[in-house]
Amino acid sequence: MFFICLCVCVCYLLLNNPFCVFFQMYGRYTQELGVYAKEEAARLREEGGRRRSVTERSRSLELLEYDKGRCAKCRICTLRCQKFLISRVGEDWIFLILLGLLMALVSWVVDFAIAICLQAQKWMYGGLESNVFLQYLAWVTYPVVLITFSAGFTQILAPQAVGSGIPEMKTILRGVVLKEYLTFKTFVAKVIGLTCALGSGMPLGKEGPFVHIASLCAALLSKFMSLFGGIYENESRNIEMLAAACAVGVGCCFAAPIGGVLFSIEVTSTFFAVRNYWRGFFAATFSAFIFRVLAVWNKDEETITALFKTRFRLDFPFDLQELPAFAVIGIASGFGGALFVYLNRLIVQFIRKQKTINKFLMKKRLLYPALVTLLVSTLTFPPGFGQFMAGKLTQKESLVTLLDNRTWAKQGIAEGFDYIGNSQAWNHPQVNVFVTLVLFIVMKFWMSALATTIPVPCGAFMPVFVIGAAFGRLVGESMAAWFPDGIHSDGTIYPIVPGGYAVVGAAALSGAVTHTVSTAVIVFELTGQISHILPVMIAVILANAVAQSLQPSLYDSIIRIKKLPYLPELGWGHHEKYNIRVEDIMIRDVTYITLNCCYRDLHDVLLAGHLKTLALLESSESMILLGSIERAQLQALLSLQLGRPRRLEYLRDRATAEKKRLSMVSHPGSEDSSQRVNQEVRFQISTEESTFSPTPTPSMKPLKPALKRPSVVDRPTGIPMPTSPQDHSSSSLKNLFCVNPETEGLENKNVNTNIEGTATPEFRRPPKRVRISVVDDFDVDDDMTIREIAEWEENQLDEQVNFDNCKIDPAPFQLVERTSLHKTHTIFSLLGLDHAYVTSIGRLIGVVSLKELRKAIEGSVAVKGVKVRPPLSSFRDSGTSGTSSSNSENEATELHKLWDRHKSMSLPREHLASDSDEKSQ
Amino acid sequence: MFFICLCVCVCYLLLNNPFCVFFQMYGRYTQELGVYAKEEAARLREEGGRRRSVTERSRSLELLEYDKGRCAKCRICTLRCQKFLISRVGEDWIFLILLGLLMALVSWVVDFAIAICLQAQKWMYGGLESNVFLQYLAWVTYPVVLITFSAGFTQILAPQAVGSGIPEMKTILRGVVLKEYLTFKTFVAKVIGLTCALGSGMPLGKEGPFVHIASLCAALLSKFMSLFGGIYENESRNIEMLAAACAVGVGCCFAAPIGGVLFSIEVTSTFFAVRNYWRGFFAATFSAFIFRVLAVWNKDEETITALFKTRFRLDFPFDLQELPAFAVIGIASGFGGALFVYLNRLIVQFIRKQKTINKFLMKKRLLYPALVTLLVSTLTFPPGFGQFMAGKLTQKESLVTLLDNRTWAKQGIAEGFDYIGNSQAWNHPQVNVFVTLVLFIVMKFWMSALATTIPVPCGAFMPVFVIGAAFGRLVGESMAAWFPDGIHSDGTIYPIVPGGYAVVGAAALSGAVTHTVSTAVIVFELTGQISHILPVMIAVILANAVAQSLQPSLYDSIIRIKKLPYLPELGWGHHEKYNIRVEDIMIRDVTYITLNCCYRDLHDVLLAGHLKTLALLESSESMILLGSIERAQLQALLSLQLGRPRRLEYLRDRATAEKKRLSMVSHPGSEDSSQRVNQEVRFQISTEESTFSPTPTPSMKPLKPALKRPSVVDRPTGIPMPTSPQDHSSSSLKNLFCVNPETEGLENKNVNTNIEGTATPEFRRPPKRVRISVVDDFDVDDDMTIREIAEWEENQLDEQVNFDNCKIDPAPFQLVERTSLHKTHTIFSLLGLDHAYVTSIGRLIGVVSLKELRKAIEGSVAVKGVKVRPPLSSFRDSGTSGTSSSNSENEATELHKLWDRHKSMSLPREHLASDSDEKSQ
């Protein structure tokens, strides 16, 4: 029945779709060219036929139709259908529906598998009730085996699958390409690893990994769909689809479409395109829908409802006077969240630092997970310590009981609440329910922080959520015990609902750990009730305020631990960001190359700095920025200039010349050509030796090499060459071809995931695939001695660089020196920049890279920055009126320089004219 | 009691605030400089004292402390407190709390006043029950008076207050400054006008206006707070605060913080800074909280609950098989929403076109509102036609009854549902409830579309919401009549809940009209139930899909009607946007000025084009872009050059020279100076007349004027001057000083709000305040004849331009020609650009402005763009691999040009050297 709905949707969309203009214009060529039409046109054009071939083709189709009767008709029909389908495949919504469907299935299957795993453990535990030791063995061995398997499997197949995945997605969405993070291998490793890890019953979550899995799904689906052609290779589209996929990940994990979209935006984006909003909603809704429908089909549920449905009373959800208690939960959760992040980082760093432990663990990679699992599962063993902290319950069961709308600790009216079902686990005969809750919170807290450091695919959201719920329940039960008749004063008794407090606590703690507000929405969607909206919002905002002032979010913390390239947020209103200017943080000493530089300059520049891109200036006097060139391009240029092919060519030329010289002696008829050679050479030599050019200006450099070039005439005469400078060049040349990873920070850098350094992703910026094969042309040729090669190289280095075959970024991003840090941050994060040049009226005056920006935001160079610039620079024109005056002054002087320069460039001829003028007079 | 909560929050934030580092570092100067500290330092520095004065000052404070005992202590204490408070005032959260508080109060007061107005009408209507005619008069006169007053009041005080305000806010947040839109007058007019308009009982809403009111509040508060100094003058901060204010507006209107934030983002932003997210949430939550608390205090509510609380059953909200019905609601709502937008625009355009009507209405501005109100209120008169469409109910009452969880049209089990209270209005004795609903929907539909064109402050969200709810209820009642026992097949009977359908319909129709998905969230927050999340989401998404493919959103429609500057959205996945490049849409024929141009060139350029900014190039050969200059700046330069002061100065100089010449005759000792003058002049003349410079190249232009300059020596000799070219310059010069509004499109253009053209906002881009006083120096001086002036002007025009005092944008935004339309749109909307230069390796090759972009997106120039460019340009490199190859080719050739040019510039000297070389040999 619900398929009718689907059909209606699909049919409707097919017919009334905004982006479906293809079959309406089939045959004619309207102005709105669809992708398919364009591509088809391009293909046809490339085949030689121009526009008419489209009509020709359709004509031939028609002819075919009339020619061959039925069979041809069928074929035409098939062809058209095929075309139509292929053009359809390019649509966004098809992609999103497929993604949603796939992810819902994955989510459901994973959930199902986890449920079976957990049931198996319970069954084993139940079956061995006679012997406590055997029971313990079963209880402990089972998760250890699963976790070890998960860790091992992930390690072998794809180490990138380890951990949450949200930090990596954040980095990827910022425009950095993390190698191997979006491959099929990783997908398999993540799904299976996650299922095993969660099946073990450890306090781990599936949210973070599901964001990663959904992104993997989107990337793979994109690749798959690109087989049908179309738009799937467009990078900005892929980024948009990845953003939607993150929403799907959260959405299908919790059946929370709205919360999923918002959470994924908050966690992964800095700037969000509202244009992309509907994609997330569409896919996440569809995914959540299918996910819940699967549950209905499987008879788990009667109809589509929330995942952790609550049944609080609607008419009087809470009293106004309970709000302080909610605020307290919020603030405490804030501290708790910060503590959790700190603890998590502390554990990772502690184990990393302890070298002996580390060595041992690195050797036996699976020992650490096993040990942690052993510890945790021992402590939760129900007949043991676990009985005091509801250890028997799985994560899901705990959450359901914690969100229960009945009060556990009622002391007033209805005594002896019968703990039925799972709730009984909280009711220990000897111990108060409060003690159980406190123990649960404390134990689970450090257990979760510890468990999330295990190198398996796992998230921390769900454990934190449960701890938060427990904390909320604790406060709620206390309130219920304190005010047995409720707080309300007017007649009617409205008892306190501790379940509501649990909801608030869950949202607040998870919000504090992840630094998000949208956990509030997730909580509403999870529980299916929104009546506690104001307490939840207040608690979440307070928790965020506290946690953000103390610690980075868990994901940012992991980003820092893994040393992923990132740009920190500006945080809650740091005013000074508006007053710091780019000129305060930029590097003024920019390494650049000029249009007329020689290879030696290139060589020196490459040796000196380690920047990945170099500015290309018109000349060192004008400093006009023309573009930027990648280091790799320059290295390629240099290696081309000094490479073996060129040397061989030179040898060939030399041999030819030699032969010619010999032949010239025998054949005097060919004097012309040899004379030309001679003249040329003489001219070149005379340039340097003539005394008529008194000052060899730097602009004459390109002509210098002409002297030193071992021309066919000079060489045999044996002019001694200076050998000292060549040595360093030959030896140092090889250094050029490796980027220094320390200063570079982005290229080919191994990153350790989790404590064991198991995952070693290499990341790089998307469009620049840097791969240099170190050229080994320093070996001795058969025709040349080492000295000759060095000589030749030296000469080659003195030639002017030919940029013709070099890829140049013709419009690198430019900033003005007066751009505020706030705006710079905005632009960098908006456009995903790596660096930006600071220019003033076309002249390059500095460069700002992600590093400087990061430092400036984190405040570590604030003082240095302040010291470097002139004393009043940042106050000079904090007002708007001040800006214009001093600004125009600066510009005026600089413009003057340019103007003067231009004059001097254009004047010579005129000077000449007037000079000769005067002479003539 | 709840104040405790507030206190806790405030205290906490004061103590643990992330941005509160001031008093921790009081006295010492850490690296994290707060704003206040910086400003203080700046002030001190400007007063002459450097860093030490801070310590000096504190020392003096201490001395003061020891000196004067108690009284001084008090003073110091006060001083510190004052400082502390002032530094606090700069905090974001204080601002947001104040904003939230203020808006909650405004919202509550407005609601209260509206309720009183509506009660008064009912009371009048009830009191006159004896006489139907009197009853009718009272029923009709009351709203007519209120609406007329509202229209008149708004018209007189601030015509900008008319209408919704969301379109204007969208434009403002895009970076365009709309004059008078954020003033106190507008605030007063909007609040009072809105109260009266809604108090009349017309189908109008308060949401849109509240977005505007909140923004007004924020702007005024910002101004007020800037009295205490601080960051309040920063533009980017103000934009962020305005974005938060929009969220507050929706939040406090519906007590829907989350929905408010999301709705405001969707409606006003193109790109959203996640950094700004918390501001919206914080302020909107606080505002909604206070808004609901006020209701509790006023004893309207027992505790904080939703505004339109529903009580649907939780355990089985809907059956899976009902989903097609929900989908139908969604699709039908989509068509309905598009129809509503179309109808609204049609009415506006119809009345604008009918010139006779228009003239009449323009004369009697208040007639149109009165007529519309008369019509609408006549039709809703309860004893008349109104009885068939529940005309008795106010908007709020209708909504409450529509969301009722009881079924009205039950035919199966419980017959004769007793319509109690307001629900009775739907139960007409003669007419079926279905007929009532249909009539209600149809009548309200056109009434709402008509009413929203009245020039009073009003929104369309709420009426549309109610119509949607009625439509949903209609479908729900039909379903209930069709399946009296519900659809569920397994034993238990779950009857259908028509109220749930009403919720879905309300969300879907309002979503379709506004093109937003977040109406779903608003609906949950309004009803306090989230159980229908999946149906609502599905319906909203489908409605959006349909509506977006048919019509623009209501706000975009108004933007177009009002001709506000806007950039259309890219819409749902237009693939071709990825394949269109900037080179296809850019204007290649850029008007520019060069560094060495003369005033005549400036004059010609200003006459030729009407662009607001002009590109400044190094020279017309190199085409290197140095910056951009505003038209106004150039006009100022030109008027300075040709202005009266300069002419007077020239006359003075001439007089002095004349005097000197005379004195020279008498004093032969001063020969030196006169000789210098003579030499100079001769040199200048000889330049032109010499035959040694055979080709007068354009680069020599600057020297030309020297010949024509009427120097003190030449003039008296009476060389005849050509007079023909001067005439046109004198006459046309005045034209320069007015920007053509047609081609400019942004400057000084009157915009008609609503049909009567009452509001005439003038908008301009923020930083560029163009205001030119037309210089009247074409009158005849006493010392110069007209001809002399013309001559002098001509000479002045031939001088080279001195850009020294000119404000230049030193780094205008640059794009590469291969940037896709998609990315260009992104960048334009992200950075709020007006135009961008297209450069290639420093060389200017084109310009793209908002206009071209808009046209390209709307498809009107797509064909032209395709035709203009070379046949395969857009297919040339659709793949990533193709890009690099052809790209580098292009670059290579262009670079080659530059290189050649550079060679030719640097080579002359060398050529010279070699030339002389050869000579010497």
Side-chain angles (χ1 to χ4, degrees), chain A residues 1 8 12 16 19 31 33 35 38 42 45 50 90 92 234 236-237 240 262 266 270-275 277 281-282 285 289 302-304 309 314-316 318 320-321 323 331 488 494 521 524-525 528-530 533-534 537 541 546 549 572-573 575-576 578 580 595-596 618-619 624 626 690 692 699-700 800 803-804 808 810-811 813-814 816 822 826 830 841-842 859 863 871-872 875 891-892 895-896 899 901-902 910 914 917 920, chain B residues 1 8 12 16 19 31 33 35 38 42 45 50 90 234 236-237 240 262 266 270-275 277 281-282 285 289 302-304 309 314-316 318 320-321 323 331 488 494 524-525 528-530 533-534 537 541 546 549 572-573 575-576 578 580 595-596 618-619 624 626 683 686 690 692 699-700 703 800 803-804 808 810 813-814 816 822 826 830 839 841-842 859 863 871-872 875 891-892 895-896 899 901-902 910 917 920:
Chain A
M1 179 71 179
V8 169
Y12 166 70
N16 291 288
F19 27 86
Q31 58 179 42
L33 295 170
V35 178
K38 273 194 177 176
R45 281 176 191 178
R50 293 280 141 152
D92 281 358
N234 190 295
S236 54
R237 184 177 185 278
E240 284 184 355
L262 299 185
E266 278 195 274
T270 322
F271 274 84
F272 187 71
V274 176
R275 179 179 71 221
Y277 202 55
F281 267 106
F282 182 73
T285 303
F289 169 67
E302 221 173 357
T303 187
I304 294 177
K309 204 163 59 183
L314 288 175
D315 45 351
F316 195 91
F318 60 93
L320 212 55
Q321 293 169 337
L323 280 177
I331 292 167
H488 199 63
Y494 292 113
V521 184
F524 300 139
E525 289 181 283
Q529 283 204 305
I530 203 170
I533 179 161
L534 271 176
M537 290 302 296
I541 287 174
V546 178
S549 65
W572 288 32
H575 300 314
E576 58 271 25
Y578 295 103
I580 297 178
L595 211 53
N596 62 338
E618 196 206 27
S619 67
I624 289 178
L626 297 179
S690 71
F692 275 86
S699 65
M700 286 181 64
Q800 197 170 356
F803 286 107
D804 280 5
I808 296 172
F813 200 84
Q814 296 172 29
V816 198
H822 183 263
T826 308
L830 274 175
I841 324 184
V863 168
L872 283 175
F875 311 110
E891 281 160 19
L895 198 64
H896 208 77
W899 192 46
R901 175 186 150 257
H902 199 272
E910 288 152 10
S914 60
D917 225 327
S920 71
Chain B
M1 181 68 180
V8 169
Y12 165 69
N16 289 288
F19 26 84
Q31 57 181 42
L33 296 169
V35 178
K38 273 194 177 177
R45 280 176 192 179
R50 294 278 143 153
N234 190 297
S236 54
R237 184 178 185 278
E240 284 183 355
L262 299 185
E266 278 195 274
T270 322
F271 275 83
F272 187 72
V274 177
R275 177 179 71 220
Y277 203 55
F281 267 106
F282 182 72
T285 303
F289 169 67
E302 221 173 356
T303 186
I304 293 178
K309 204 164 59 184
L314 287 176
D315 45 352
F316 195 90
F318 60 93
L320 211 55
Q321 295 169 336
L323 279 178
I331 292 166
H488 199 64
Y494 291 114
F524 300 139
E525 289 180 283
Q529 284 205 303
I530 205 170
I533 179 161
L534 271 176
M537 290 302 296
I541 287 174
V546 178
S549 65
W572 287 33
H575 300 314
E576 58 272 25
Y578 294 105
I580 296 178
L595 210 54
N596 62 338
E618 197 207 24
S619 67
I624 289 177
L626 297 180
F683 160 60
S686 65
S690 70
F692 275 86
S699 66
M700 287 181 63
L703 275 184
Q800 198 170 358
F803 287 107
D804 279 6
I808 296 172
F813 200 85
Q814 296 172 29
V816 198
H822 183 263
T826 308
L830 274 176
T839 56
I841 323 182
V863 168
L872 284 174
F875 311 110
E891 281 159 20
L895 198 65
H896 208 76
W899 193 46
R901 175 188 151 256
H902 200 273
E910 287 152 11
D917 226 326
S920 70

Side-chain angles (χ1 to χ4, degrees), chain B residues 610-819:
Chain B
H610 298 280
L611 285 167
K612 216 172 50 188
T613 53
L614 288 158
L616 176 67
L617 304 191
E618 197 207 24
S619 67
S620 49
E621 303 105 62
S622 73
M623 291 293 282
I624 289 177
L625 182 68
L626 297 180
S628 70
I629 307 185
E630 277 175 47
R631 193 185 178 77
Q633 289 282 331
L634 294 179
Q635 285 163 346
L637 272 185
L638 207 57
S639 66
L640 196 76
Q641 180 74 0
L642 302 179
R644 195 192 194 109
R646 212 181 155 84
R647 199 159 69 235
L648 291 177
E649 197 189 335
Y650 161 70
L651 284 175
R652 250 201 315 282
D653 284 0
R654 194 173 61 170
T656 320
E658 199 86 17
K659 216 180 276 174
K660 229 177 224 169
R661 200 172 61 119
L662 292 173
S663 68
M664 193 182 68
V665 176
S666 54
H667 307 277
S670 64
E671 212 174 7
D672 268 15
S673 64
S674 75
Q675 230 170 7
R676 226 178 290 133
V677 171
N678 270 334
Q679 262 180 0
E680 200 184 306
V681 170
R682 198 185 57 191
F683 160 60
Q684 282 170 347
I685 294 173
S686 65
T687 315
E688 181 79 332
E689 288 178 348
S690 70
T691 48
F692 275 86
S693 58
T695 49
T697 52
S699 66
M700 287 181 63
K701 237 181 176 176
L703 275 184
K704 261 191 192 170
L707 171 71
K708 290 181 187 165
R709 185 175 292 158
S711 63
V712 278
V713 186
D714 291 331
R715 226 187 57 81
T717 57
I719 294 168
M721 291 284 177
T723 48
S724 53
Q726 284 99 335
D727 299 333
H728 98 276
S729 88
S730 296
S731 62
S732 62
L733 215 56
K734 267 188 177 162
N735 298 345
L736 292 178
F737 295 94
C738 53
V739 179
N740 186 339
E742 276 309 304
T743 50
E744 187 52 31
L746 281 174
E747 201 77 33
N748 292 325
K749 195 172 188 178
N750 288 344
V751 173
N752 299 324
T753 3
N754 287 31
I755 49 145
E756 298 197 89
T758 46
T760 54
E762 298 179 9
F763 38 75
R764 57 189 161 75
R765 299 262 145 207
K768 304 148 189 169
R769 194 178 278 269
V770 187
R771 187 150 297 176
I772 312 146
S773 57
V774 175
V775 190
D776 59 338
D777 42 17
F778 300 101
D779 48 343
V780 185
D781 269 45
D782 21 38
D783 276 17
M784 284 170 104
T785 63
I786 295 178
R787 206 187 132 171
E788 270 181 336
I789 289 176
E791 243 170 56
W792 175 82
E793 261 177 15
E794 194 66 11
N795 292 325
Q796 289 291 313
L797 278 176
D798 283 335
E799 274 184 19
Q800 198 170 358
V801 179
N802 178 9
F803 287 107
D804 279 6
N805 294 316
C806 188
K807 255 168 78 181
I808 296 172
D809 177 4
F813 200 85
Q814 296 172 29
L815 293 171
V816 198
E817 65 215 287
R818 314 203 42 72
T819 314

Side-chain angles (χ1 to χ4, degrees), chain B residues 175-200:
Chain B
V176 180
V177 173
L178 297 178
K179 251 189 218 169
E180 301 286 326
Y181 261 90
L182 298 175
T183 59
F184 185 67
K185 257 186 180 177
T186 316
F187 177 75
V188 173
K190 194 116 197 176
V191 169
I192 293 179
L194 180 69
T195 311
C196 294
L198 294 187
S200 71

Side-chain angles (χ1 to χ4, degrees), chain B residues 80 116 431 480 558 612 734 834 886:
Chain B
R80 283 194 177 161
I116 286 178
V431 181
I558 294 174
K612 216 172 50 188
K734 267 188 177 162
D834 178 48
S886 76

Side-chain angles (χ1 to χ4, degrees), chain B residues 215-269:
Chain B
S215 310
L216 280 162
C217 240
L220 295 173
L221 204 58
S222 207
K223 247 184 219 166
F224 174 73
M225 303 277 267
S226 69
L227 295 180
F228 299 95
I231 201 67
Y232 286 95
E233 275 153 8
N234 190 297
E235 197 202 328
S236 54
R237 184 178 185 278
N238 282 347
I239 289 273
E240 284 183 355
M241 286 305 169
L242 278 185
C246 290
V248 172
V250 186
C252 72
C253 178
F254 292 148
I258 301 170
V261 172
L262 299 185
F263 186 79
S264 73
I265 289 174
E266 278 195 274
V267 158
T268 58
S269 312

Side-chain angles (χ1 to χ4, degrees), chain B residues 333-334 336-338 340-341 460 464 508-516 547 552-555:
Chain B
S333 295
F340 185 86
V341 173
V464 165
L509 192 62
S510 49
V513 169
T514 55
H515 286 198
T516 55
S553 83
L554 182 65
Y555 305 122

